[in-house]
Amino acid sequence: MFTGIIEEIGEIAAIAASGDGWRLTVHAPKAAADAVHGESIAVSGVCLTVVGSTESTFDADVMKQTLDVSALGAVEVGTRVNIEKAMPVGARLGGHIVQGHVDGVGTVLEVRPGAEWRVLRISVPDELAPLVVDKGSISVAGTSLTVSAVSAAAAGEHWFEVSLIPETLEATTLGALEAGDVVNLETDILARHVERLLAFRSLTEGGSR
């Protein structure tokens, strides 16, 4: 489990074929310093398992399915990535509950600069749109953010906006995003549970009539 509070910006140091997937080597000195085999590290929002490490890098295998459904499939050597180690028991929950299980990807539609902040408008797949609410939480490239605006339910194309403060712009890869960039999205787990419960309730009520 993660919180969406990014600990450092890492960099893809090497990509090697591993079956039908990849083995990534990530340069991330803070995370690698005490990384142990088998632990979980979120890489731009994707939970990966450490299979090897040095003082400044760690290796992780990425299966084909993950490459297909997340923005990791587009990384290259030199790509910068957000890094967060799993939350230890008893730690403060600084962001929100993030599992590292990407629901889908969104495309940056617009970047609006402010005096000391920046607003991003990001597309959201139709099936995820009901799970994104104004003032709710969402993980973008592994970063815990608060939704500041959403498209109308009846909109032809769905989107949401997030407002980035200077700290977020500096401490994450989000500060370098431009229109057209693709990012990993993970919706709030509580919203996903509610959607699932309502789906079963609808079936139950329909069958009792």
Side-chain angles (χ1 to χ4, degrees):
M1 182 183 297
F2 307 92
T3 71
I5 303 300
I6 304 305
E7 297 173 340
E8 68 177 312
I9 297 177
E11 183 176 299
I12 303 299
I15 302 174
S18 178
D20 61 355
W22 290 350
R23 173 163 292 188
L24 297 180
T25 298
V26 184
H27 180 263
K30 289 182 181 179
D34 58 353
V36 297
H37 187 95
E39 78 167 291
S40 297
I41 297 179
V43 178
S44 286
V46 180
C47 178
L48 299 180
T49 301
V50 174
V51 296
S53 63
T54 68
E55 291 183 353
S56 61
T57 68
F58 67 88
D59 297 331
D61 291 328
V62 188
M63 67 178 66
K64 183 178 184 300
Q65 180 185 10
T66 302
L67 295 174
D68 290 342
V69 303
S70 77
L72 283 187
V75 301
E76 302 174 340
V77 172
T79 298
R80 295 181 359 133
V81 288
N82 292 324
I83 300 296
E84 181 189 0
K85 301 190 74 172
M87 180 179 68
V89 175
R92 293 181 182 273
L93 184 60
H96 72 282
I97 297 175
V98 177
Q99 294 181 295
H101 302 160
V102 173
D103 294 318
V105 297
T107 300
V108 178
L109 301 176
E110 183 182 355
V111 179
R112 299 199 307 273
E116 295 184 356
W117 62 88
R118 194 171 302 166
V119 176
L120 302 182
R121 177 173 290 191
I122 301 172
S123 69
V124 60
D126 291 346
E127 66 274 17
L128 299 183
L131 306 177
V132 183
V133 299
D134 189 24
K135 304 303 186 292
S137 296
I138 191 167
S139 170
V140 177
T143 307
S144 175
L145 298 171
T146 300
V147 177
S148 56
V150 293
S151 56
E157 297 183 356
H158 294 287
W159 51 264
F160 67 92
E161 291 184 351
V162 289
S163 299
L164 308 181
I165 62 174
E167 172 63 20
T168 303
L169 294 171
E170 179 70 22
T172 76
T173 62
L174 302 187
L177 289 178
E178 300 177 346
D181 288 341
V182 177
V183 290
N184 292 322
L185 303 177
E186 182 184 333
T187 57
D188 189 352
I189 186 174
L190 298 179
R192 299 202 301 274
H193 274 298
V194 170
E195 181 186 51
R196 183 69 169 168
L197 289 169
L198 289 176
F200 274 95
R201 180 175 179 179
S202 176
L203 288 175
T204 302
E205 292 178 347
S208 64
R209 294 174 182 171

XYZ file of all heavy atoms in Angstrom, residues 31-113:
581
model
N 15.470 5.166 -2.727
C 14.714 3.916 -2.635
C 15.632 2.699 -2.645
O 15.392 1.716 -1.946
C 13.714 3.829 -3.782
N 16.694 2.773 -3.455
C 17.580 1.620 -3.602
C 18.481 1.404 -2.401
O 18.940 0.284 -2.153
C 18.444 1.792 -4.857
N 18.746 2.456 -1.634
C 19.719 2.385 -0.536
C 19.417 1.250 0.439
O 20.334 0.575 0.909
C 19.775 3.718 0.201
N 18.142 1.037 0.738
C 17.796 -0.032 1.679
C 16.762 -0.983 1.079
O 16.032 -1.661 1.805
C 17.279 0.545 3.002
C 16.049 1.434 2.811
O 15.671 1.712 1.652
O 15.459 1.854 3.836
N 16.700 -1.040 -0.257
C 15.744 -1.931 -0.912
C 16.130 -3.386 -0.679
O 17.315 -3.739 -0.674
C 15.687 -1.635 -2.402
N 15.139 -4.228 -0.471
C 15.383 -5.656 -0.279
C 14.576 -6.439 -1.298
O 13.524 -5.993 -1.775
C 15.012 -6.116 1.149
C 15.887 -5.423 2.171
C 13.538 -5.852 1.444
N 15.076 -7.597 -1.638
C 14.417 -8.457 -2.620
C 12.980 -8.758 -2.173
O 12.731 -9.134 -1.047
C 15.194 -9.768 -2.759
C 14.680 -10.648 -3.858
N 15.222 -10.644 -5.121
C 13.665 -11.545 -3.890
C 14.571 -11.504 -5.881
N 13.625 -12.073 -5.156
N 12.050 -8.559 -3.090
C 10.656 -8.890 -2.811
C 9.807 -7.739 -2.318
O 8.577 -7.872 -2.250
N 10.413 -6.599 -1.980
C 9.589 -5.491 -1.497
C 8.953 -4.748 -2.662
O 9.348 -4.890 -3.825
C 10.405 -4.532 -0.630
C 11.303 -3.582 -1.361
C 11.829 -2.476 -0.435
O 11.012 -1.635 -0.018
O 13.038 -2.467 -0.143
N 7.939 -3.952 -2.348
C 7.188 -3.226 -3.363
C 7.626 -1.770 -3.436
O 7.804 -1.123 -2.406
C 5.689 -3.287 -3.060
O 5.212 -4.613 -3.112
N 7.779 -1.271 -4.659
C 8.073 0.130 -4.910
C 7.158 0.589 -6.036
O 7.023 -0.097 -7.060
C 9.546 0.352 -5.300
C 10.476 -0.051 -4.149
C 9.792 1.813 -5.671
C 11.961 0.118 -4.463
N 6.512 1.719 -5.848
C 5.648 2.269 -6.891
C 6.482 3.120 -7.836
O 7.193 4.029 -7.410
C 4.525 3.101 -6.278
N 6.380 2.808 -9.131
C 7.093 3.544 -10.170
C 6.055 4.268 -11.025
O 5.323 3.634 -11.786
C 7.954 2.608 -11.031
C 8.646 3.378 -12.146
C 8.978 1.877 -10.168
N 5.963 5.578 -10.834
C 4.920 6.385 -11.490
C 3.541 5.763 -11.323
O 2.732 5.728 -12.246
C 5.258 6.591 -12.974
O 6.308 7.528 -13.110
N 3.310 5.245 -10.128
C 1.987 4.740 -9.786
C 1.784 3.260 -9.978
O 0.739 2.726 -9.606
N 2.762 2.557 -10.540
C 2.643 1.115 -10.765
C 3.443 0.377 -9.698
O 4.650 0.591 -9.561
C 3.156 0.721 -12.163
C 3.018 -0.781 -12.374
C 2.411 1.485 -13.248
N 2.779 -0.490 -8.959
C 3.449 -1.265 -7.917
C 4.305 -2.346 -8.560
O 3.808 -3.233 -9.260
C 2.408 -1.901 -6.994
S 3.115 -2.933 -5.697
N 5.617 -2.282 -8.332
C 6.549 -3.265 -8.866
C 7.295 -3.948 -7.732
O 7.473 -3.373 -6.660
C 7.551 -2.592 -9.813
C 6.969 -1.899 -11.056
C 8.090 -1.273 -11.882
C 6.166 -2.875 -11.904
N 7.746 -5.166 -7.986
C 8.461 -5.946 -6.983
C 9.954 -5.931 -7.268
O 10.380 -6.227 -8.398
C 7.961 -7.405 -6.967
O 6.560 -7.418 -6.673
C 8.695 -8.221 -5.924
N 10.730 -5.600 -6.273
C 12.189 -5.542 -6.411
C 12.747 -6.952 -6.557
O 12.463 -7.835 -5.751
C 12.826 -4.848 -5.194
C 14.353 -4.910 -5.267
C 12.354 -3.403 -5.094
N 13.542 -7.175 -7.625
C 14.176 -8.479 -7.830
C 15.696 -8.386 -7.725
O 16.389 -9.402 -7.803
C 13.779 -9.089 -9.192
C 12.286 -9.366 -9.233
C 14.186 -8.186 -10.349
N 16.205 -7.186 -7.541
C 17.634 -6.994 -7.378
C 17.913 -5.517 -7.138
O 17.091 -4.668 -7.485
N 19.055 -5.210 -6.537
C 19.346 -3.803 -6.263
C 20.838 -3.589 -6.058
O 21.592 -4.524 -5.766
C 18.586 -3.318 -5.020
O 19.007 -4.019 -3.856
N 21.244 -2.317 -6.246
C 22.583 -1.867 -5.913
C 22.415 -0.678 -4.965
O 21.302 -0.413 -4.500
C 23.356 -1.423 -7.171
O 22.756 -0.214 -7.685
C 23.320 -2.501 -8.242
N 23.472 0.045 -4.700
C 23.361 1.193 -3.814
C 22.511 2.301 -4.410
O 21.966 3.127 -3.678
C 24.757 1.740 -3.479
C 25.589 0.817 -2.606
C 26.919 1.441 -2.256
O 27.245 2.528 -2.791
O 27.653 0.848 -1.435
N 22.394 2.331 -5.731
C 21.670 3.438 -6.351
C 20.592 3.020 -7.348
O 19.876 3.865 -7.874
C 22.654 4.371 -7.073
O 23.344 3.660 -8.092
N 20.466 1.710 -7.608
C 19.455 1.248 -8.564
C 18.704 0.035 -8.011
O 19.188 -0.647 -7.109
C 20.079 0.848 -9.911
O 20.886 -0.326 -9.738
C 20.924 1.973 -10.488
N 17.526 -0.187 -8.580
C 16.828 -1.443 -8.295
C 16.250 -1.983 -9.594
O 15.972 -1.228 -10.537
C 15.739 -1.261 -7.229
C 14.575 -0.401 -7.647
C 13.469 -0.934 -8.297
C 14.564 0.962 -7.362
C 12.392 -0.144 -8.676
C 13.494 1.768 -7.731
C 12.404 1.216 -8.377
N 16.082 -3.305 -9.646
C 15.517 -3.978 -10.813
C 14.121 -4.476 -10.476
O 13.844 -4.911 -9.352
C 16.378 -5.181 -11.222
C 17.779 -4.782 -11.646
O 17.951 -3.654 -12.142
O 18.697 -5.613 -11.485
N 13.243 -4.438 -11.482
C 11.883 -4.940 -11.301
C 11.373 -5.469 -12.627
O 11.647 -4.888 -13.689
C 10.962 -3.831 -10.783
N 10.649 -6.581 -12.575
C 10.050 -7.152 -13.770
C 8.662 -6.564 -13.989
O 7.895 -6.384 -13.036
C 9.951 -8.676 -13.647
C 11.315 -9.354 -13.676
O 12.213 -8.823 -14.354
O 11.474 -10.395 -13.018
N 8.347 -6.283 -15.242
C 7.038 -5.723 -15.599
C 6.395 -6.647 -16.626
O 6.949 -6.850 -17.715
C 7.169 -4.308 -16.198
C 5.788 -3.683 -16.369
C 8.046 -3.427 -15.318
N 5.256 -7.238 -16.272
C 4.599 -8.159 -17.194
C 3.957 -7.415 -18.361
O 3.704 -6.205 -18.297
C 3.546 -8.982 -16.446
C 2.364 -8.189 -15.935
S 1.128 -9.244 -15.110
C 2.053 -9.784 -13.680
N 3.682 -8.149 -19.436
C 3.139 -7.550 -20.647
C 1.820 -6.842 -20.387
O 1.556 -5.765 -20.938
C 2.948 -8.624 -21.721
C 2.435 -8.068 -23.059
C 2.304 -9.154 -24.094
C 1.891 -8.584 -25.448
N 0.586 -7.877 -25.391
N 0.955 -7.428 -19.555
C -0.334 -6.806 -19.274
C -0.148 -5.408 -18.686
O -0.850 -4.463 -19.051
C -1.160 -7.661 -18.313
C -2.523 -7.042 -17.993
C -3.273 -7.842 -16.945
O -2.731 -8.740 -16.311
N -4.539 -7.502 -16.746
N 0.811 -5.274 -17.773
C 1.079 -3.966 -17.163
C 1.592 -2.983 -18.203
O 1.209 -1.806 -18.212
C 2.098 -4.115 -16.024
O 1.592 -5.025 -15.048
C 2.375 -2.772 -15.354
N 2.454 -3.452 -19.087
C 2.969 -2.583 -20.148
C 1.837 -2.128 -21.068
O 1.832 -0.992 -21.553
C 4.032 -3.317 -20.965
C 5.322 -3.685 -20.217
C 6.215 -4.544 -21.105
C 6.067 -2.441 -19.754
N 0.856 -3.017 -21.293
C -0.244 -2.709 -22.205
C -1.238 -1.708 -21.623
O -1.822 -0.913 -22.363
C -0.994 -3.988 -22.596
C -0.187 -4.897 -23.504
O 0.790 -4.412 -24.109
O -0.519 -6.099 -23.597
N -1.445 -1.754 -20.302
C -2.506 -0.929 -19.707
C -1.984 0.300 -18.968
O -2.778 1.095 -18.472
C -3.384 -1.765 -18.743
C -3.984 -2.962 -19.454
C -2.582 -2.220 -17.522
N -0.675 0.466 -18.920
C -0.122 1.605 -18.191
C 0.851 2.379 -19.061
O 1.261 1.933 -20.139
C 0.595 1.138 -16.916
O 1.869 0.591 -17.219
N 1.230 3.551 -18.583
C 2.175 4.396 -19.308
C 3.598 3.854 -19.252
O 4.478 4.360 -19.951
C 2.136 5.820 -18.738
N 3.847 2.812 -18.451
C 5.189 2.239 -18.411
C 5.581 1.638 -19.753
O 6.766 1.523 -20.068
C 5.284 1.162 -17.321
C 5.398 1.628 -15.871
C 5.651 0.441 -14.954
C 6.507 2.664 -15.704
N 4.595 1.260 -20.550
C 4.892 0.683 -21.853
C 5.562 1.651 -22.797
O 6.111 1.243 -23.834
N 5.551 2.941 -22.466
C 6.136 3.963 -23.342
C 7.451 4.523 -22.811
O 8.030 5.416 -23.430
C 5.137 5.103 -23.552
N 7.935 4.004 -21.662
C 9.168 4.571 -21.102
C 10.368 4.163 -21.931
O 10.369 3.132 -22.619
C 9.381 4.161 -19.626
C 8.224 4.621 -18.759
C 9.608 2.665 -19.501
N 11.399 4.972 -21.869
C 12.674 4.713 -22.526
C 13.786 4.946 -21.513
O 13.547 5.497 -20.431
C 12.863 5.666 -23.718
C 11.762 5.588 -24.758
C 11.918 6.653 -25.830
O 12.623 7.664 -25.575
O 11.341 6.479 -26.917
N 14.979 4.513 -21.859
C 16.125 4.830 -21.002
C 16.233 6.354 -20.903
O 16.211 7.053 -21.911
C 17.420 4.230 -21.579
C 18.631 4.727 -20.788
C 17.356 2.715 -21.563
N 16.280 6.843 -19.675
C 16.329 8.281 -19.444
C 15.001 8.876 -19.013
O 14.974 10.017 -18.528
N 13.906 8.130 -19.185
C 12.599 8.630 -18.744
C 12.593 8.815 -17.235
O 13.018 7.931 -16.486
C 11.471 7.653 -19.139
O 11.408 7.544 -20.563
C 10.135 8.141 -18.615
N 12.119 9.971 -16.776
C 12.024 10.233 -15.338
C 10.716 9.682 -14.794
O 9.670 9.784 -15.442
C 12.139 11.730 -15.062
C 13.498 12.245 -15.454
C 13.762 13.719 -15.223
N 12.720 14.529 -14.670
C 12.875 15.398 -13.663
N 14.060 15.496 -13.081
N 11.898 16.158 -13.268
N 10.779 9.090 -13.612
C 9.615 8.435 -13.014
C 9.491 8.809 -11.546
O 10.488 9.058 -10.863
C 9.705 6.894 -13.155
C 9.480 6.467 -14.601
C 11.055 6.372 -12.648
N 8.253 8.848 -11.071
C 7.991 9.105 -9.652
C 8.190 7.827 -8.848
O 7.726 6.759 -9.247
C 6.557 9.606 -9.459
C 6.343 10.985 -10.045
O 7.228 11.827 -9.990
N 5.171 11.225 -10.602
N 8.856 7.953 -7.707
C 9.190 6.794 -6.881
C 8.602 6.948 -5.485
O 8.747 7.991 -4.835
C 10.725 6.622 -6.754
C 11.370 6.428 -8.132
C 11.053 5.455 -5.819
C 10.964 5.174 -8.857
N 7.941 5.883 -5.029
C 7.466 5.827 -3.642
C 7.595 4.405 -3.130
O 7.138 3.456 -3.782
C 6.004 6.265 -3.524
C 5.511 6.231 -2.068
C 4.011 6.441 -1.915
O 3.312 6.616 -2.937
O 3.530 6.404 -0.763
N 8.217 4.252 -1.971
C 8.283 2.934 -1.334
C 6.987 2.665 -0.574
O 6.243 3.591 -0.235
C 9.486 2.862 -0.380
C 10.827 3.117 -1.068
C 12.000 2.790 -0.162
C 12.172 1.291 -0.038
N 13.430 0.931 0.680
N 6.709 1.394 -0.332
C 5.487 1.026 0.374
C 5.440 1.669 1.758
O 6.471 1.854 2.409
C 5.397 -0.491 0.493
N 4.230 2.018 2.176
C 4.046 2.681 3.467
C 4.263 1.692 4.614
O 3.639 0.627 4.641
C 2.631 3.259 3.553
C 2.348 3.984 4.867
S 0.670 4.695 4.921
C -0.315 3.198 4.959
N 5.141 2.008 5.571
C 5.328 1.120 6.712
C 4.133 1.186 7.663
O 3.413 2.187 7.716
C 6.591 1.664 7.378
C 6.624 3.111 7.000
C 6.046 3.181 5.624
N 3.913 0.111 8.379
C 2.815 0.076 9.355
C 3.028 1.153 10.411
O 4.125 1.326 10.931
C 2.735 -1.315 10.022
C 1.668 -1.314 11.114
C 2.423 -2.386 8.992
N 1.988 1.909 10.701
C 2.056 2.945 11.718
C 2.473 4.299 11.199
O 2.510 5.269 11.962
N 2.771 4.388 9.889
C 3.183 5.678 9.321
C 1.966 6.563 9.083
O 0.830 6.095 9.016
C 3.929 5.454 8.014
N 2.204 7.864 8.967
C 1.132 8.800 8.658
C 0.653 8.604 7.226
O 1.451 8.372 6.320
C 1.610 10.247 8.839
C 1.924 10.636 10.275
C 2.373 12.090 10.335
N 2.737 12.491 11.675
C 1.875 12.954 12.586
N 0.604 13.088 12.244
N 2.281 13.296 13.786
N -0.643 8.716 7.027
C -1.221 8.634 5.694
C -1.297 10.050 5.139
O -2.306 10.734 5.240
C -2.612 7.992 5.749
C -3.319 7.751 4.409
C -2.503 6.822 3.537
C -4.709 7.151 4.652
N -0.188 10.506 4.546
C -0.099 11.888 4.111
C -0.945 12.208 2.903
O -1.407 13.334 2.732
N -1.158 11.231 2.017
C -1.972 11.453 0.830
C -3.309 10.758 0.967
O -4.147 11.151 1.774
N -3.517 9.683 0.188
C -4.697 8.844 0.347
C -4.277 7.409 0.050
O -3.137 7.156 -0.346
C -5.845 9.304 -0.558
C -5.655 9.021 -2.018
N -4.835 9.783 -2.825
C -6.183 8.075 -2.839
C -4.869 9.326 -4.070
N -5.670 8.283 -4.099
N -5.162 6.458 0.251
C -4.815 5.053 0.039
C -4.625 4.798 -1.454
O -5.547 4.939 -2.248
C -5.902 4.127 0.598
C -6.004 4.305 2.117
C -5.599 2.677 0.240
C -7.137 3.527 2.738
N -3.397 4.434 -1.820
C -3.049 4.129 -3.208
C -2.522 2.702 -3.250
O -1.614 2.347 -2.500
C -1.983 5.112 -3.740
C -1.568 4.733 -5.160
C -2.504 6.544 -3.694
N -3.080 1.875 -4.118
C -2.673 0.472 -4.178
C -1.541 0.215 -5.151
O -0.868 -0.806 -5.078
C -3.871 -0.398 -4.563
C -4.982 -0.436 -3.524
C -6.111 -1.348 -3.977
O -6.778 -1.081 -4.968
N -6.298 -2.444 -3.278
N -1.350 1.116 -6.095
C -0.356 0.862 -7.127
C -0.903 -0.019 -8.235
O -0.145 -0.586 -9.028
N -2.239 -0.139 -8.299
C -2.914 -0.909 -9.341
C -3.574 0.078 -10.295
O -4.653 0.608 -10.016
C -3.966 -1.836 -8.733
C -3.397 -2.791 -7.734
N -4.160 -3.431 -6.786
C -2.117 -3.213 -7.523
C -3.399 -4.207 -6.036
N -2.152 -4.089 -6.468
N -2.919 0.353 -11.405
C -3.389 1.376 -12.335
C -4.704 0.957 -12.974
O -4.843 -0.160 -13.467
C -2.320 1.637 -13.413
C -2.840 2.566 -14.495
C -1.070 2.220 -12.766
N -5.683 1.877 -12.964
C -6.983 1.604 -13.580
C -6.968 1.884 -15.077
O -7.763 1.317 -15.834
C -8.067 2.483 -12.941
C -8.311 2.130 -11.487
O -8.358 0.928 -11.173
O -8.449 3.056 -10.671
N -6.117 2.785 -15.503
C -6.058 3.169 -16.903
C -5.135 4.354 -17.072
O -4.431 4.747 -16.139
N -5.122 4.907 -18.259
C -4.267 6.059 -18.533
C -5.113 7.228 -19.014
O -6.195 7.054 -19.562
C -3.174 5.737 -19.589
C -2.241 4.656 -19.071
C -3.808 5.304 -20.907
N -4.593 8.416 -18.782
C -5.225 9.629 -19.274
C -4.214 10.434 -20.060
O -3.002 10.237 -19.919
N -4.721 11.335 -20.883
C -3.862 12.200 -21.687
C -4.000 13.630 -21.210
O -5.120 14.100 -20.965
C -4.247 12.124 -23.176
O -4.112 10.776 -23.627
C -3.353 13.031 -24.016
N -2.887 14.307 -21.033
C -2.927 15.711 -20.637
C -3.520 16.512 -21.797
O -2.980 16.535 -22.899
C -1.526 16.234 -20.290
C -1.591 17.719 -19.927
C -0.924 15.439 -19.129
N -4.657 17.158 -21.534
C -5.345 17.932 -22.556
C -4.925 19.392 -22.555
O -4.884 20.039 -23.605
C -6.864 17.852 -22.340
C -7.483 16.455 -22.363
C -8.963 16.534 -22.030
C -7.277 15.793 -23.721
N -4.602 19.909 -21.372
C -4.306 21.334 -21.246
C -3.459 21.588 -20.016
O -3.640 20.934 -18.975
C -5.617 22.128 -21.150
C -5.467 23.631 -21.077
C -6.808 24.335 -20.935
O -7.863 23.656 -20.995
O -6.807 25.558 -20.733
N -2.524 22.502 -20.124
C -1.711 22.946 -18.988
C -1.908 24.446 -18.860
O -1.577 25.208 -19.775
C -0.221 22.625 -19.194
C 0.595 23.129 -18.008
C -0.010 21.123 -19.385
N -2.470 24.881 -17.718
C -2.720 26.307 -17.505
C -1.844 26.802 -16.352
O -2.051 26.409 -15.195
C -4.196 26.560 -17.173
C -5.152 26.141 -18.264
C -6.520 26.817 -18.114
N -7.101 26.643 -16.804
C -7.853 25.596 -16.464
N -8.084 24.624 -17.335
N -8.368 25.511 -15.252
N -0.875 27.654 -16.643
C -0.003 28.158 -15.587
C -0.687 29.246 -14.773
O -1.505 30.013 -15.295
C 1.196 28.715 -16.355
C 0.619 29.107 -17.684
C -0.454 28.118 -17.979
